[in-house]
Amino acid sequence: MARRRQSVTIKHVAADAGVSLQTVSRVINNEPNVRPKMQERVQASIDKLGYVPSIAAQRMSGSKSYLILALNDRERTVESWRAREGNDWVDQMLLGGMLTCAEHGYRMIIELVDTHNDHVEKELQAVLSSLRPDGVMLTPPHSDNPLIVKLFADAGLPFARIGSQSRGPGIAISMDDAGSARKATEHLLAYGHKRIGFIAGPPDYELSGWREDGWRGAMAKAGLGTAGLSQAGDFSEQSGSVAARALLGCAEPPTAIIASNDQMALGALKVAREMSLDVPSDLSLISFDNSPLVKFAQPPLTAIDQPIAETASVAAQAIIEANRGEDSNASSHIVQARLVERQSVALPCPARPAPPAAEGS
């Protein structure tokens, strides 16, 4: 049987160039304290042997780990994975973050943390100690958790707060949630809708409030009231169903509904069917996120496309620049979302009485 070819390691490069492992590591990391002739000598050995630097080799200098840590909410992420609902938040975050990291010789690793855990500080300190990341990417609701933000600020690590507009340490990166909700509302107003309902997300996500603010602002600008047109959910399909029943079962039900995420929108779609309402003839519906779920709904849902991959890319780039001592000239970034039109919006139907409540409501 043929022998497997031995992979080239940093030790082979050091032996070929006749230098120490630390010198090779400094060359790999482009550190300034290496003489040009030594740089050329080591690089020649790297090229000759076909050596590809590993993170372990890059970390030998002790200055950098070349790892960026991304933290996501444990409870909701695990729940979504187990339900196999098609929520692609993590996939999109990895797509944008990992590709940008790879361009600069970094790697990205994701950890799931429960922001409500009393031991979150101890858990995160253990992660920092074992991984020694060069920066951290926080996603909602971690982005505005004072304890988590303070922990990374005290550690002196560059970190980005995705989905945050709050002042404070770190780099705030927003997807313009208020503007996106305003855009969705204005789209429905342009179709002639005047009673537009809104299903908000949970209060521990600050973006839930921003989206509701955007809807209220657009309605106020159009001279329309919002009394009785708002219900709160928790980003689950069931909560969307409960909220939709409340909205559609009132004396003057809305002719359109905006849901703060795809799962709640699907819950609203299910309730509309139970009430014998056709979407979009009887009820127009717009969702947030634009995950694969809504593309295959019947009808396919018009949605605010959240630029998650682009946002993660911006976050990774900002962290890498901070590690290089580069000034991005901005303490916050806004990544614009877009509205994707499908078949769930139409002209409002003539005034109709409130439909009978569905069984089990």
Side-chain angles (χ1 to χ4, degrees):
M1 184 174 68
R3 294 179 61 188
R4 188 175 64 179
R5 183 181 175 185
Q6 185 179 16
S7 60
V8 178
T9 69
I10 189 174
K11 293 181 179 180
H12 295 116
V13 175
D16 186 79
V19 298
S20 67
L21 296 177
Q22 288 74 17
T23 297
V24 177
S25 180
R26 286 195 291 270
V27 171
I28 292 170
N29 293 321
N30 294 315
E31 295 186 16
N33 57 340
V34 181
R35 297 191 306 273
K37 286 187 177 181
M38 184 63 70
Q39 178 96 20
E40 294 174 5
R41 181 171 158 186
V42 173
Q43 189 60 50
S45 293
I46 289 174
D47 294 340
K48 182 177 74 173
L49 298 174
Y51 172 66
V52 179
S54 65
I55 289 179
Q58 290 175 312
R59 295 176 73 160
M60 283 188 65
S61 66
S63 58
K64 293 182 180 180
S65 67
Y66 289 86
L67 282 176
I68 290 179
L69 173 66
L71 296 182
N72 212 49
D73 183 65
R74 175 186 289 133
E75 182 178 354
R76 286 193 171 96
T77 300
V78 172
E79 181 180 344
S80 175
W81 284 344
R82 285 176 174 164
R84 303 183 72 178
E85 293 175 334
N87 186 337
D88 65 346
W89 167 277
V90 174
D91 293 344
Q92 290 296 307
M93 184 178 69
L94 289 173
L95 170 64
M98 290 179 73
L99 289 181
T100 299
C101 284
E103 289 176 9
H104 300 279
Y106 280 71
R107 296 293 182 270
M108 182 171 141
I109 187 169
I110 187 170
E111 286 282 333
L112 302 180
V113 175
D114 182 2
T115 193
H116 302 297
N117 186 347
D118 293 337
H119 305 291
V120 65
E121 185 174 10
K122 183 178 180 181
E123 182 178 354
L124 288 177
Q125 285 174 339
V127 171
L128 290 181
S129 178
S130 60
L131 295 177
R132 295 191 293 122
D134 287 337
V136 179
M137 196 182 297
L138 300 178
T139 61
H142 306 322
S143 311
D144 289 299
N145 182 313
L147 179 62
I148 293 176
V149 170
K150 183 178 184 300
L151 187 149
F152 290 117
D154 290 346
L157 277 174
F159 64 97
R161 294 181 285 117
I162 291 178
S164 177
Q165 297 174 347
S166 303
R167 292 180 177 273
I171 305 161
I173 302 177
S174 163
M175 288 182 274
D176 192 19
D177 294 276
S180 296
R182 184 168 56 250
K183 188 179 299 182
T185 308
E186 289 171 348
H187 184 71
L188 292 168
L189 291 170
Y191 269 82
H193 291 276
K194 297 184 183 301
R195 287 190 63 76
I196 301 173
F198 191 84
I199 303 178
D204 56 334
Y205 283 68
E206 283 201 334
L207 55 82
S208 296
W210 300 331
R211 292 175 184 178
E212 187 170 357
D213 290 343
W215 163 70
R216 290 187 185 279
M219 293 288 280
K221 186 177 179 180
L224 299 171
T226 57
L229 290 174
S230 175
Q231 291 288 327
D234 62 9
F235 286 153
S236 69
E237 181 177 334
Q238 181 181 5
S239 73
S241 295
V242 172
R245 284 194 187 97
L247 289 171
L248 296 172
C250 68
E252 292 185 74
T255 60
I257 291 176
I258 300 170
S260 286
N261 82 328
D262 291 340
Q263 280 83 1
M264 292 194 299
L266 291 177
L269 180 62
K270 179 181 178 181
V271 167
R273 290 198 185 106
E274 292 173 356
M275 292 183 166
S276 299
L277 298 176
D278 179 75
V279 175
S281 298
D282 299 315
L283 176 72
S284 288
L285 186 60
I286 294 182
S287 177
F288 259 83
D289 289 344
N290 194 37
S291 66
L293 284 170
V294 299
K295 299 177 185 178
F296 302 108
Q298 290 300 322
L301 302 185
T302 292
I304 292 292
D305 185 71
Q306 291 286 85
I308 300 166
E310 183 182 353
T311 302
S313 175
V314 169
Q317 185 71 41
I319 292 170
I320 291 168
E321 289 176 356
N323 267 287
R324 292 173 175 170
E326 299 174 10
D327 185 4
S328 64
N329 296 318
S331 59
S332 63
H333 302 261
I334 296 179
V335 183
Q336 296 293 336
R338 65 190 179 97
L339 180 75
V340 178
E341 295 186 48
R342 295 195 179 93
Q343 287 81 55
S344 64
V345 174
L347 298 172
C349 65
R352 55 181 169 76
E359 292 185 8
S361 62

